[in-house]
Amino acid sequence: MKTALITGASRGIGRATALLLAQQGYQIAVNFHQRESAAAEVVSLIHQQGGKAFSVQADIADEEQVVEMFRVLDQRGALLSALVNNAGILFQQTRVEQLSAERINRVFATNVTGTFLCCREAVKRMSFQHGGQGGVIVNVSSAAARSGSPHEYVDYAASKGAVDTLTKGLSLEVAAQGIRVNGVRPGFIYTDMHADGGEADRVNRLAPTIPMQRGGEPEEIAQAILWLLSDAASYITGTIIDAAGGR
Ligand code: NAD
C-alpha cells in the first residue's frame, strides 16, 4: 500500500490533504508537532472512512526527530511513495525593522531546514540510486514567496522563496531517480494560521483584493496536492502551481 507522509497534518491544509489522500487509497502518516489529540482525531476520521492512517510525532525543525520519524515509518514497513511538506509557521505581523534574529531563525528552521530534512530522508527511501521505487514530493509554499508579504511577515515570505528554490533544485537532482518534486503556492486560505499572525479574520479582510473575490478552502489546496502526487501529473516536475484565486 502506498504511504503518504504529510507534515503538520493535525489541522488546516495538512488535515484536509490527509483526509483527501486517504479517500484515494493512500495510507497516511499524520505528522504532528504538539497537537497529539488533533492528530489522533484525523487518524480516527480516516479509520471511520475505511482508510488507513497512523500518527507520528516530530518537530521537523529538529534533525534527530526527523530522522526518528522516518525510522518509525521504516519500522512499520511503510512504502513511502509520497511526501507532502506542509508544516510551516509564521509569527505576529510586523515590519522588517522589528525582526529579531531569533524569530527569523525560528521561521527558517521549520519552513526551510525542516522541509530540506524531510526531503533528504524521503529521497534516501524513494531514489532508484538508494534501492527505492521512486516517489513524489510536494512542497507547500505560499503566494507570499511572490508578494514578499510587506508589513506582515517578510521573514515568512522569504522562507517560502527558499522552499521554491529547493523545489526547483531538488527536482533536477532527482528527476532521473524516479522522483518528481513540485510545489503549491496557496493564496489566502481559511485556516488557523492567520490567528498565529495576530489576525484571525485576515482572509476576510483581504478577500476583496483577490480577483476571485473570496478566500480559499483547505480542501481546494488539497486537490492541487493530490493532482501533483497522482499519475495524472506523471510528466510534471520542478513546477509550482499557484492556487490563489488569481492573485
Ligand atoms: P496551520 O497553522 O493550520 O498548519 C500548519 C501546521 O504545521 C500545524 O499543524 C503546525 O502544528 C504544523 N507545524 C508547525 N511547525 C511544525 C514543526 N516544527 N514540526 C511539525 N509540524 C509543525 O496552517 P495552514 O494554513 O494549514 O498551513 C499549511 C501550510 O500552508 C504551511 O506551510 C503554510 O505556510 C502554507 N500556506 C498557508 C496559507 C494560508 O492562507 N493558510 C497560505 C499560503 C501558504
Side-chain angles (χ1 to χ4, degrees):
M1 188 179 206
K2 295 202 293 188
T3 298
L5 169 62
I6 306 171
T7 62
S10 67
R11 72 179 199 186
I13 292 168
R15 179 183 191 274
T17 304
L19 296 177
L20 183 66
L21 293 187
Q23 286 165 14
Q24 302 300 316
Y26 289 89
Q27 166 173 246
I28 311 297
V30 177
N31 160 255
F32 68 96
H33 180 200
Q34 285 164 329
R35 272 179 289 274
E36 186 169 11
S37 60
E41 193 197 304
V42 174
V43 169
S44 98
L45 264 175
I46 291 172
H47 288 165
Q48 281 166 35
Q49 293 171 359
K52 282 196 149 188
F54 59 91
S55 63
V56 55
Q57 196 278 333
D59 172 356
I60 62 155
D62 183 315
E63 185 169 18
E64 275 180 28
Q65 292 188 34
V66 171
V67 170
E68 180 55 27
M69 170 168 68
F70 279 82
R71 206 176 288 139
V72 167
L73 264 66
D74 294 341
Q75 280 163 358
R76 284 179 161 263
L79 174 66
L80 186 69
S81 58
L83 166 66
V84 181
N85 282 309
N86 165 79
I89 51 166
L90 50 72
F91 295 110
Q92 188 70 30
Q93 294 176 7
T94 188
R95 294 166 58 88
V96 170
E97 66 251 41
Q98 305 298 334
L99 290 178
S100 65
E102 197 237 336
R103 165 169 159 162
I104 298 165
N105 289 337
R106 279 179 69 191
V107 169
F108 273 68
T110 294
N111 298 5
V112 183
T113 308
T115 302
F116 262 92
L117 295 173
C118 291
C119 284
R120 183 189 76 191
E121 293 305 309
V123 166
K124 284 183 189 170
R125 285 156 178 86
M126 294 172 171
S127 164
F128 295 155
Q129 209 173 350
H130 291 285
Q133 298 179 24
V136 193
I137 297 173
V138 173
N139 293 327
V140 181
S141 173
S142 172
R146 292 185 282 106
S147 75
S149 296
H151 314 289
E152 292 192 333
Y153 12 68
V154 177
D155 51 348
Y156 167 81
S159 76
K160 294 300 190 176
V163 168
D164 286 355
T165 304
L166 163 63
T167 298
K168 183 70 184 168
L170 179 62
S171 72
L172 299 177
E173 273 192 11
V174 299
Q177 295 301 322
I179 306 173
R180 295 188 295 107
V181 186
N182 292 295
V184 175
R185 277 192 291 244
F188 304 129
I189 312 301
Y190 287 101
T191 72
D192 294 331
M193 176 174 251
H194 307 285
D196 295 343
E199 189 187 2
D201 203 35
R202 177 170 176 262
V203 178
N204 284 332
R205 170 174 65 83
L206 293 166
T209 71
I210 301 168
M212 285 180 71
Q213 298 288 300
R214 66 170 180 87
E217 296 297 336
E219 291 73 18
E220 295 182 285
I221 305 307
Q223 289 287 354
I225 294 169
L226 169 67
W227 182 76
L228 284 170
L229 291 176
S230 76
D231 287 344
S234 56
Y235 201 50
I236 294 176
T237 198
T239 292
I240 301 163
I241 294 181
D242 287 303
R247 240 184 99 112

